[in-house]
Each structure stands twice: as structure tokens, then as C-alpha cells.
Amino acid sequence: MSIDSVSTLPQNTYPNVRVSATGLELWRGDRCLFNDLSFTLNLPVLHVCGANGSGKTTLLKVLCGLTITERGNVTWTHDKRILTTGEVRGQLAYTGHQEALNPALTVAENLQWGAGLYRELSNDEIQQATEEHQLDSLTSLLACSLSAGQKRRVALLRSVLSHVPVWVWDEPYANLDAAGVEWVNALIEAHVARGGCLILSAHQKPAINPEQVQTLGLTS
Amino acid sequence: MNELSYRRAFSLQLRKELTQLGRRYGSVLTPLLFFAVVVALFPLSTDPSPQRLATIASSAVWVAALLAAMLAQQTLFRGDFEDGSLQLMALSALPLWLQVIAKQMAHWLVSGLPLVLLSPLAAYSLNMAPQGYTTLMVSLLLGSLSLSSLGAIGAALTVSIRQGGLLFAVLVLPLMVPVLILGTQATELASKGDNAAGLLNMLVAICLLSVTLSPFATAAAIRVSLD
């Protein structure tokens, strides 16, 4: 899939939203997940890697503002201007371990709700986007009848539909087949080409232009 | 944040909840069925003479309604927590308290309101004096709104705890007791032909307080539970 074919993304480019962290310290019980963790994201993609249990998911939740650290701060900036918590919330689409798909709703209804949290969108737009990403055969199915990989695709498509500059993806490649992995990489490249920012956790480095990827390794 | 996005936050959440509740009528009907069964069991456990039943009618209906409301409220956020939707709601730019109000309202419409509408039937089966029916319905209307608001706080606080049921009861029951006392007393008075306006006024006060303030507490509790 070429970048130009992804027309469901907004035509204008995204604002230059970046994140940095200073001196993060977080404990879970008597286990220290990270201590004095600092970084500044200068590139469009932040790849968080590390062994199982090293705190990748927790770090993503910290960056989103879902988890509060014992010490340190996370700063989101838009062209050097520091964003408030409220401003950050409107700029960030999160896809966690769970796909946030309600099992009793259809795929279309789930997308309508999930992307609707960010902006007003019509049924036609959802139809068009699902057709473009070859998910249109799923739109009328209940989310509980999808396979794990299909759920992941729908959840990632929700980020695309949200039209926000920052995507935070926890293990986007989990449960995806080879074509799915390629599809995710194409999404990322299209997002980056429009000036978007992506923070992802994954065990392998995403197969996109390495000059755009900054890697943050966590040790347990 | 403008008026339009407030309206969108509300309608988005309300539509989602009503759609999904409409498809899970099993879990929607459980509290109602529970209410009917508890009311039906009371005559079996006591002397079933009509005079005797009339004396316990208001408390029986109210206790059954309270327990049914608790049953319905306990899992208010469970599904959204498990599938991750709650994280999405908390991270959205739309105000969380407004989404909470919409969710609560949808649940009240399918579990609280039918209870209020069913209550005269339950009262009739327990031989309550017909002059008490209006007060019973009004007090249950106010009471169920308060219970659903108070229950939402408890549900949000205990949603991340695996066996949160007991904690939920311990947290929420003490808050619900004043509502129960006022509600039964008002119904009792009215069924004897007395004026229950004073007690109903107090129920109105509790209802207004809990309905207006609880969404903020619930939203804060959700953020704590997601940490």
C-alpha cells in the first residue's frame, strides 16, 4: 500500500507535538520499575523495547498520564510550547493491551464511539475507511466474534480515524499476520509523513525508515 | 471545550450504553427479576395474613429495591474496565464526568426506572394501602436516582479489584441507609393516610446532592482505579 492511498488521514499536516521525560521513578510494591529515567524524543517515532515485565506498558501509561509516577515529570510540547494535561488528552490516541472494543457492539458502532471521543465523524467516513483498509467485511459483525488479530486491526484503525497527531500503541504487532505487520508499518509511515508522532512498544524494531526511529531500551 | 462537544460527549456515551444494554437484556433483566423474587419471598417467610403483610409492605419493597439497585450498580464499569474502554474514556478530551453521567443515566433508564414502574404491583401483592402507591413511586424515583449515583462512586472505586463485591457493599451500604430510612418512612406514613411531604423533601435534597456531585467523585475514582 502506498502512502498516497491512505486518504482517510487528514490532508493537512499535524502540529509538531513531542514528548520528553525527566527523572521518572516508579515503584510497584517493593519492585522498582524505573529509576531516574530521562529522555527527549527528537524523532517522530519512539520505540520502547525491553524484556517481558520491564515496564513498557507502564511507561506508555505514564506518558499518557494514566499512571502517576513517584518522581519526575512528563512534558508534552507543541513547537516548544508546553501543553496542559487537558490539551494533551485531545492530541493523543491510545491503544493498549485491551482493544477497547465493546463485545456487544458491531465494529462500525465501536469505531463510531471510539473515534467519536476525538471528533465528530459520519457513518460514511467509517465505511470509506474500513473499505480502504480492507476491513469492510467486518463492519457489521459484533466485536465479540472477531479474532484477536482482527480486533487489533480495528483498534489501530480507530487511531487512524481519530485524526490526532500522537498515537500511543502498546504492542501493535501482537497477533497480527505478515500482511498485518506490513499494514501497520504502512500506517506508521503515512502518519510520520504527515508530521505525526508515534510511541510504540514492541519486541522487534519496526521495519520503517530507521532515521525516524528513536529506541528506548528498558532493563528490568 | 464548547457546548457542542459537551453535547457530543453525552450523546455518544448514552447511545453506546443503550445499544449495548439493549443487546444484553439478560443482565438488564436480572435486577428486576431479583426485585420481584425478593418481594415474592417475603410472604413465605412470615405470617401471610393480609393485615400482617400490609405492615411490612413498604419496608419489603424498599429493601428489595435497594438490593436490586446494588446488584445493578456493582458492575457498572466492569465491562468497560476489562475491555479497556475506560482508559479511552479517561484519555479523551471530552469531560469524563459528563461521560459518567450519560452512562449512569442509560443504566438508570433500564434498571432504575422499570423498578419504579413495577413497584405498585409489588406493593399491591403485599396488600399495601393504595393511598401509599404515589408516595412509594415518588420516593423510589428519587431513591433510585440517589442509589445509582452513590453506587457509581463505589463501582468506580472497586472496579480494578478482582473480588470487589464485598468492598463495594461495605463502601456503599452506609451511604444508602439514609435513603432507605427516609423512603420507607415516607411510604409508611402515606399508606396510613398521613402527609409525607417533609420526608420526601429530604429525599429530594439527597437526590439533588448525590446526582449533581457524584459524577465528579466517580470520574476521580475512575482515574485512581486506572493508575
Side-chain angles (χ1 to χ4, degrees):
Chain A
M1 186 189 303
S2 76
I3 291 168
D4 295 328
S5 74
V6 188
S7 65
T8 41
L9 288 168
Q11 294 307 302
N12 55 329
T13 51
Y14 289 119
N16 192 25
V17 178
R18 292 290 180 268
V19 66
S20 66
T22 44
L24 295 182
E25 179 177 339
L26 187 77
W27 292 76
R28 279 284 176 259
D30 55 358
R31 204 163 67 93
C32 181
L33 273 184
F34 28 85
N35 188 8
D36 200 22
L37 176 73
S38 303
F39 67 88
T40 306
L41 179 59
N42 303 312
L43 298 174
V45 179
L46 177 67
H47 168 221
V48 180
C49 59
N52 295 128
S54 57
K56 298 189 291 296
T57 297
T58 315
L59 179 64
L60 294 195
K61 283 170 77 179
V62 167
L63 294 179
C64 294
L66 277 173
T67 299
I68 312 294
T69 50
E70 262 80 22
R71 235 175 255 144
N73 7 339
V74 173
T75 316
W76 288 89
T77 52
H78 169 205
D79 293 333
K80 303 268 156 65
R81 190 175 68 83
I82 295 176
L83 299 175
T84 64
T85 321
E87 285 174 318
V88 172
R89 281 193 194 130
Q91 308 279 332
L92 181 150
Y94 177 75
T95 302
H97 267 299
Q98 302 110 324
E99 276 80 7
L101 301 176
N102 190 305
L105 298 183
T106 66
V107 167
E109 286 163 344
N110 266 305
L111 286 172
Q112 182 88 54
W113 175 78
L117 288 172
Y118 297 92
R119 66 189 186 92
E120 188 111 44
L121 76 171
S122 64
N123 281 326
D124 292 345
E125 205 174 333
I126 289 173
Q127 192 58 39
Q128 193 194 336
T130 48
E131 274 167 23
E132 195 173 320
H133 296 279
Q134 283 96 45
L135 293 170
D136 49 324
S137 57
L138 307 177
T139 43
S140 55
L141 295 179
L142 290 181
C144 59
S145 61
L146 300 186
S147 76
Q150 287 172 328
K151 279 187 187 166
R152 203 103 273 260
R153 284 178 187 240
V154 174
L156 297 178
L157 183 61
R158 180 182 53 226
S159 295
V160 177
L161 280 167
S162 313
H163 288 191
V164 290
V166 184
W167 295 347
V168 180
W169 287 355
D170 197 357
E171 301 279 3
Y173 300 110
N175 298 321
L176 289 184
D177 54 18
V181 171
E182 238 170 75
W183 176 71
V184 170
N185 289 334
L187 287 183
I188 296 173
E189 280 185 339
H191 187 58
V192 169
R194 286 185 160 75
C197 167
L198 172 80
I199 298 174
L200 83 161
S201 71
H203 291 287
Q204 316 87 356
K205 200 170 168 131
I208 53 174
N209 183 359
E211 283 170 17
Q212 292 171 331
V213 185
Q214 187 173 335
T215 303
L216 177 69
L218 294 178
T219 47
S220 43
Chain B
M1 195 60 48
N2 52 25
E3 191 202 330
L4 201 72
S5 68
Y6 277 103
R7 197 179 306 159
R8 187 157 61 83
F10 188 79
S11 65
L12 195 71
Q13 205 62 36
L14 190 70
R15 198 172 36 195
K16 177 196 174 184
E17 284 305 315
L18 288 177
T19 317
Q20 69 122 343
L21 288 171
R23 294 200 188 130
R24 296 184 180 170
Y25 40 84
S27 59
V28 171
L29 287 177
T30 309
L32 286 176
L33 213 67
F34 180 81
F35 174 71
V37 168
V38 171
V39 169
L41 283 178
F42 260 91
L44 298 180
S45 62
T46 180
D47 165 26
S49 68
Q51 296 79 13
R52 171 95 178 132
L53 286 181
T55 58
I56 59 158
S58 59
S59 43
V61 173
W62 254 95
V63 167
L66 178 97
L67 293 176
M70 277 189 66
L71 191 69
Q73 283 307 102
Q74 197 186 328
T75 53
L76 182 62
F77 298 109
R78 177 76 57 188
D80 280 347
F81 179 77
E82 276 166 6
D83 69 22
S85 304
L86 213 51
Q87 287 181 331
L88 229 61
M89 284 164 66
L91 282 175
S92 158
L94 303 175
L96 184 56
W97 57 267
L98 199 59
Q99 300 182 54
V100 165
I101 293 181
K103 194 171 163 63
Q104 229 170 278
M105 192 162 176
H107 280 256
W108 180 80
L109 282 175
V110 298
S111 69
L113 192 61
L115 216 97
V116 176
L117 299 175
L118 261 173
S119 62
L121 207 65
Y124 176 71
S125 75
L126 293 175
N127 193 32
M128 186 197 277
Q131 55 202 1
Y133 289 1
T134 322
T135 310
L136 176 69
M137 285 182 81
V138 172
S139 65
L140 266 179
L141 182 75
L142 296 165
S144 63
L145 279 169
S146 320
L147 297 181
S148 107
S149 303
L150 296 171
I153 305 176
L157 276 174
T158 55
V159 71
S160 61
I161 303 167
R162 216 162 288 279
Q163 305 285 336
L166 184 66
L167 188 60
F168 174 81
V170 171
L171 279 174
V172 168
L173 264 181
L175 294 172
M176 290 180 167
V177 165
V179 179
L180 176 72
I181 294 173
L182 291 170
T184 33
Q185 289 305 312
T187 315
E188 192 82 43
L189 279 180
S191 61
K192 283 183 192 145
D194 289 337
N195 187 355
L199 294 171
L200 285 180
N201 282 344
M202 280 171 77
L203 264 183
V204 171
I206 291 186
C207 178
L208 285 179
L209 262 180
S210 49
V211 167
T212 50
L213 295 182
S214 86
F216 299 100
T218 308
I222 288 175
R223 292 197 194 281
V224 170
S225 289
L226 288 175
D227 190 345

